Amino acid sequence: MKRFSRSLYLQVITAVIIGALVGHLYPAVGTQMKPLGEGFIKLVKMLIAPIVFSTVVTGIAKMGDLKKVGRVGLKGIIYFEVLTTIALAIGLLVGKVLVPGAGMNVNPATLDTKAIASYTAPSAHLSTMDFVMNIIPKDVADAFARGEILQVLFFSILFGVALAGMKGDYAKVVLQFIDGLSGVLFKIVGIVMRVAPIGAFGAMAFTVGKYGVKTLVSLAKLIGTFYTTSVLFVFLVLGLVMLICRLNIFKFLRYIKEEILIVLGTSSSESALPLMMRKMEKLGCGKPVVGLVVPMGYSFNLDGTSIYLTLATLFIAQATNTHVTMGQELEILAVLLLTSKGAAAVTGGGFITLAATLSAVGNIPVAGLTLLLGVDRFMSEARAITNLIGNGVASVAVSRWEGELDVERARAMLDRKVLPEAIDEAEPEALGVAAQA
């Protein structure tokens, strides 16, 4: 019982199981638990913008070398593009081999498109230029108020660069204040994480109660294919990246198990962003690298979403008996390389990206999106978890590439050895860091 009271991992997994049971046995009660999940996600989201700001600013200002800032950012972008391209290609390949939509024989004319109107309308205006322009906030307060990660990151980089270029006591005072603010914000994260089990319970109860387990049966092949592909991507592709960094993917997953469970319960990778940033710093990744790579990754390095997009596109084509040529498959891949980034900061981005891609390809009916509405929520957990793991591995990889990864410290942390300099004894419960020999 004492171990349970101190373990965020055990509390969250218990809450997820209970939530699923409540949603299945008492659907009406389960749907009423929605505010618990939404409330927890809002608590976390209110902290994301100031945490990104304080972490990025202090990282850049303490780094001093502005060329290094640009180098880290460029390496991050290169890594993101390579990994997301691999993820898109894997989703396309698996969709061709397993053919999850075969035999459904759906007539697109019979589909009710009212439910997808909110996604198809924004897709008509989705472009790479829109995405680039959206990075620039109309004003700083608006970016923080709306919690737009890329906009906050953009301003934070400018602020950090300006602060790094200043001399004298004034600059030191500002840096000390922001550094202290960062410590306070992570203390608040520790407080918020105490209610993570409640949030996970509410979100899971609502999902199962609202959509029901029965909705999984008709599209079980698609769901099974997507989950299997995501697992293989994590262990084979991301596992290879970790191996190159001389670390073990299995031990890494154990290290971030609390964050994975929080994402599983809430279906939102953002719910674990603050904890993930602190975890990666404690693992031995350079703070400036974490401060740049993790927030950027939430827009540019969505591995799980990339797998989903190509797989879902082929599923719709197969379900509606739409023939797709090899040239069109390559076109789908090329379009998604752009649209998967263009919808990064848009609410409902996955569906909007799909709508934009189907419209660009032309012969695959956009109405086919309605086939995914019933099970999209169940696949969002795998998407979010894969995105989370991918961004954690990205921090390790770019840190290693930049020479900012303390490999010995990382191994000790992954092996659950006590490192006094790596573990803040005031925060083990909140951060879920195992201090076991």
Side-chain angles (χ1 to χ4, degrees), residues 31-285:
T31 54
Q32 294 175 3
M33 297 297 105
K34 184 178 181 181
L36 296 178
E38 289 187 339
F40 172 70
I41 293 176
K42 289 181 69 175
L43 281 172
V44 175
K45 283 188 173 182
M46 78 176 182
L47 295 167
I48 289 176
I51 283 177
V52 169
F53 173 77
S54 61
T55 303
V56 172
V57 169
T58 54
I60 293 176
K62 290 180 179 179
M63 188 187 303
D65 184 359
L66 298 184
K67 290 183 179 179
K68 184 176 181 179
V69 175
R71 189 170 65 245
V72 170
L74 179 61
K75 288 179 177 178
I77 292 295
I78 293 173
Y79 175 88
F80 298 156
E81 286 302 317
V82 171
L83 265 291
T84 52
T85 300
I86 292 173
L88 287 168
I90 287 176
L92 193 66
L93 179 62
V94 171
K96 279 179 61 65
V97 173
L98 298 185
V99 199
M104 293 188 69
N105 301 317
V106 176
N107 182 355
T110 64
L111 298 174
D112 184 4
T113 60
K114 293 179 182 178
I116 62 171
S118 60
Y119 302 107
T120 55
S123 71
H125 308 287
L126 186 65
S127 69
T128 303
M129 186 54 66
D130 291 332
F131 172 65
V132 172
M133 293 303 295
N134 190 57
I135 294 176
I136 306 172
K138 65 179 183 179
D139 59 67
V140 176
D142 181 68
F144 278 84
R146 293 193 294 125
E148 294 283 0
I149 296 179
L150 274 182
Q151 293 183 356
V152 172
L153 180 62
F154 178 73
F155 174 73
S156 302
I157 292 173
L158 291 178
F159 195 103
V161 168
L163 187 59
M166 294 177 64
K167 305 295 182 182
D169 294 336
Y170 182 77
K172 292 180 181 179
V173 170
V174 174
L175 180 57
Q176 287 175 352
F177 171 76
I178 297 176
D179 202 13
L181 177 64
S182 178
V184 173
L185 289 170
F186 277 107
K187 282 290 185 182
I188 298 175
V189 170
I191 296 172
V192 170
M193 283 303 117
R194 294 182 184 275
V195 299
I198 298 175
F201 162 79
M204 185 58 69
F206 166 75
T207 298
V208 178
K210 173 74 173 180
Y211 300 102
V213 179
K214 291 181 180 179
T215 59
L216 301 178
V217 177
S218 61
L219 298 175
K221 188 174 182 181
L222 172 63
I223 297 170
T225 300
F226 177 59
Y227 271 75
T228 301
T229 307
S230 298
V231 170
L232 290 175
F233 179 83
V234 169
F235 289 124
L236 297 182
V237 179
L238 297 183
L240 177 61
V241 174
M242 290 294 283
L243 185 62
I244 294 173
C245 296
R246 297 163 55 197
L247 297 174
N248 186 292
I249 186 65
F250 296 98
K251 293 180 180 179
F252 179 73
L253 296 179
R254 182 181 63 189
Y255 176 68
I256 61 169
K257 61 181 182 295
E258 289 87 358
E259 289 72 26
I260 291 174
L261 280 172
I262 290 171
V263 171
L264 173 65
T266 61
S267 297
S268 170
S269 55
E270 286 188 353
S271 62
L273 189 151
L275 281 179
M276 197 66 181
M277 292 179 72
R278 177 57 64 92
K279 270 282 184 75
M280 298 317 298
E281 290 176 20
K282 288 183 175 292
L283 184 65
C285 298

